[in-house]
Amino acid sequence: DTVLTQSPALTVSPGERVTISCRASESVSTLMHWYQQKPGQQPTLLIYLASNLESGVPARFSGSGSGTDFTLTIDPVEADDTATYYCQQSWNDPWTFGGGTKLELK
Amino acid sequence: QVTLKESGPGILQPSQTLSLTCSFSGFLLSASSVGVGWIRQPSGKGLEWLATIGWKDVKHYNPSLKSRLTISKDTSNNQVFLKITSVDTADTGTYYCAHSDPGYNYFDYWGQGVMVTVSS
């Protein structure tokens, strides 16, 4: 299976720029997607196909990368962005998710 | 407006079969380029994709669980079902169904999830 590795946690201050990384154990082309999950809620799609912003998602969110290295950027970060962020690949079977990055604000 | 809602037994015993239902609205599973998937999440842990069914009744399973999974659909009643046989405590968690793009297989609409506990 394709393993997606994310940093477990990040702490930033409101107004800062934050980058969340996701590294794949093998190439996933650009079939990488990003989700936000707030405590007690279901995940919501932020970015699909590496860099496409889902409708209704603030333009503060952006995605980049291809192959094995991907980044989700939030600029500027707001208090409401406190959540866990997951990457998911759909290039290699089975589709897999990263372990999640918990974003906390100071 | 796309909505999905999961339902299930809540609690069941080891070795039993888990039956889950996803009831949805706002799209037709008989329409092209539509899929519904199941994803689960143990408490406090990450996400695991289980299975997806597409509009042509094409079924796609996670190989690690394939022998225990059956996904099916009732197009007339806008429902998708998932059965997991021989459950054990490791199957405890929240189960989500989600609308997917069957071409690129990302999940753009999610249900609220249903908690399932396997306990003797």
Side-chain angles (χ1 to χ4, degrees), chain A residues 3-43:
Chain A
V3 176
L4 303 181
T5 301
Q6 298 182 244
S7 298
L10 286 172
T11 302
V12 298
S13 298
E16 291 185 346
R17 178 177 183 267
V18 63
T19 58
I20 297 171
S21 65
C22 177
R23 174 163 288 179
S25 60
E26 57 188 323
S27 177
V28 300
S29 185
T30 57
L31 268 65
M32 181 66 79
H33 324 295
W34 290 92
Y35 302 86
Q36 177 192 67
Q37 185 177 34
K38 296 182 178 180
Q41 296 184 18
Q42 70 270 44

